[in-house]
Every structure is written in C-alpha cells, then in structure tokens.
C-alpha cells in the first residue's frame, strides 16, 4: 500500500487517562508516546478538534528524511479511542495507512514487539474501537505483556501496574518500541519488521 511520501503520520499511544492508570500494563502505549514526545522535544497539548492530547513534530534524521508526525494520546478511555483517532486523522489529513497504534498485546511474551499492518483486534478494546471507526488498515506496534498468571482475569491483569520484576526492563523495552515506531515511519514496514519482529 503506497501513500503520499509527504503525508504526515499519526502515531497513537493507546491507554487510559488519569494518574491512577499511568503505570498499568494497558498504558504502555502512553509510555511509548511520552518517550517519542521527548525525542521530538515538545510537550503534549490538548487537541482542539478531538478528545486527545497531541504534539506535532518530526521523527527521524534532520532534513528531508525526517517525517512529519502527530503524536496523540486519546483522553476518551481505551474502549472509546476510535472517535478521537478519526477526528485527528481527518483534521491533520492523514491517510489511514499512515496511522500507527501502539498498544499492549496479551498473546506476545513480555517485551517482545511485533510491527504489522492491518489485522484483527484480538479482543483489545482500543483496537476494536479504532477498527470500528476507520477499518483495520492501519499499522500496529504491538508491545507484548504476556498472559495473566493462574486464574487472574484479563481485565484485572491489564489494569494492574507492571510487576517489580517487569519494571527492571520496562525502560529498555519502551525505548525499543519507540525505536520501532521511528523505523516504521522513516524506513517503512518491511524494514521495521526485519529489525524489530523478534
């Protein structure tokens, strides 16, 4: 799928707003978005046209190889992410194929990444809402969080903070996920998959 090389990218970190959710597994998309915001060198501001926080800038090397991006954190709660994402996509004139969702993924071991285009939502409410709003043909950077231990319910697991053992490597994995987003945006899907789909 080809898109206009000059079109901006919309990178959406999925999570739930508010300090009570900030360190949850379900909020790893927000963590990656925050790190990308640091790399761009700006801070999130409330979007005028959607229920989200956004920052505009460039990712990648300086000059023409750098890509124009809009980083976003929907403030609508996870299961209503689609509305803010579509609002931002339309306002910034971003092709759907240039939308990237960064999200937690239960079916991948902790810290493992998968970069892909399109596909199902695998029960993830943020993806479900985005797909309902604009179809499935957007990119995903899937951040593995593993399955819940024992008989713990999935909802309880994703809404808990990362364990102390997991937190030891969390910074490294979030950094790697941000690298994967940057590679996807600047060098394309195949290159990002080759480098980060372990």
């Amino acid at each position: 799928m080809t898109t206009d090389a000059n079109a901006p990218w919309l990178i959406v970190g999925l999570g739930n707003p508010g300090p009570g959710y900030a360190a949850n597994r379900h909020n790893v998309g927000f963590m990656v978005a925050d790190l990308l915001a640091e790399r761009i060198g700006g801070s999130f501001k409330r979007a005028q046209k959607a229920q989200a926080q956004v920052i505009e800038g460039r990712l990648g090397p300086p000059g023409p190889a750098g890509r124009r991006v809009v980083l976003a954190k929907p403030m609508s709660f996870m299961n209503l992410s689609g509305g803010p994402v579509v609002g931002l996509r339309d306002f910034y004139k971003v092709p759907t194929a240039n939308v990237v969702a960064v999200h937690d993924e239960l079916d991948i071991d902790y810290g493992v990444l998968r970069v892909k285009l399109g596909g199902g939502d695998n029960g993830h409410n943020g993806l479900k809402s985005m797909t309902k709003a604009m179809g499935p043909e957007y990119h995903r950077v899937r951040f593995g969080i593993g399955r819940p231990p024992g008989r713990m319910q999935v909802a309880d697991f994703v809404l808990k903070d990362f364990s102390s053992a997991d937190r030891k490597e969390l910074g490294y994995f979030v950094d790697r996920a941000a690298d994967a987003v940057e590679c996807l945006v600047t060098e394309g899907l195949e290159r990002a998959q080759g480098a980060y789909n372990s």
Side-chain angles (χ1 to χ4, degrees):
M1 183 181 296
T2 57
T3 57
D4 174 3
N6 297 313
W9 287 74
L10 173 60
I11 300 161
V12 182
L14 291 179
N16 286 307
Y21 296 100
N24 288 180
R25 292 180 177 93
H26 221 20
N27 268 44
V28 76
F30 274 19
M31 297 173 198
V32 175
D34 286 339
L35 180 57
L36 287 167
E38 280 180 38
R39 291 183 183 184
I40 286 174
S43 54
F44 282 98
K45 295 177 176 59
R46 190 165 200 76
Q48 293 180 334
K49 300 291 180 181
Q51 195 179 355
Q53 291 185 348
V54 296
I55 176 174
E56 296 176 64
R58 296 187 89 81
L59 271 182
R67 290 283 179 266
R68 197 156 58 94
V69 300
V70 179
L71 274 178
K73 297 192 294 186
M75 293 286 117
S76 56
F77 287 97
M78 183 70 85
N79 59 352
L80 299 172
S81 300
V85 173
V86 166
L88 293 170
R89 179 199 66 176
D90 294 349
F91 179 72
Y92 288 103
K93 298 179 172 55
V94 177
T96 299
N98 278 22
V99 176
V100 183
V102 185
H103 64 92
D104 57 305
E105 179 59 62
L106 286 160
D107 285 338
I108 304 175
D109 289 341
Y110 174 59
V112 174
L113 296 176
R114 293 276 186 278
V115 184
K116 64 182 280 197
L117 172 64
D121 57 55
N122 205 19
H124 191 288
N125 287 332
L127 296 182
K128 201 176 288 183
S129 179
M130 284 180 62
T131 297
K132 186 177 178 187
M134 64 182 185
E137 290 303 306
Y138 54 91
H139 288 86
R140 299 102 191 273
V141 175
R142 305 160 75 204
F143 186 111
I145 59 169
R147 301 293 305 181
R151 297 184 178 189
M152 185 187 285
Q153 294 294 313
V154 165
D156 294 335
F157 180 69
V158 300
L159 293 175
K160 276 202 172 11
D161 291 359
F162 284 98
S163 69
S164 54
D166 286 348
R167 282 198 297 272
K168 288 177 183 155
E169 293 184 293
L170 182 59
Y172 168 75
F173 290 141
V174 167
D175 192 64
R176 198 160 178 271
D179 290 346
V181 171
E182 210 164 315
C183 182
L184 170 63
V185 167
T186 58
E187 300 183 55
L189 179 61
E190 274 186 43
R191 189 69 182 265
Q193 287 177 324
Y196 295 97
N197 283 17
S198 40

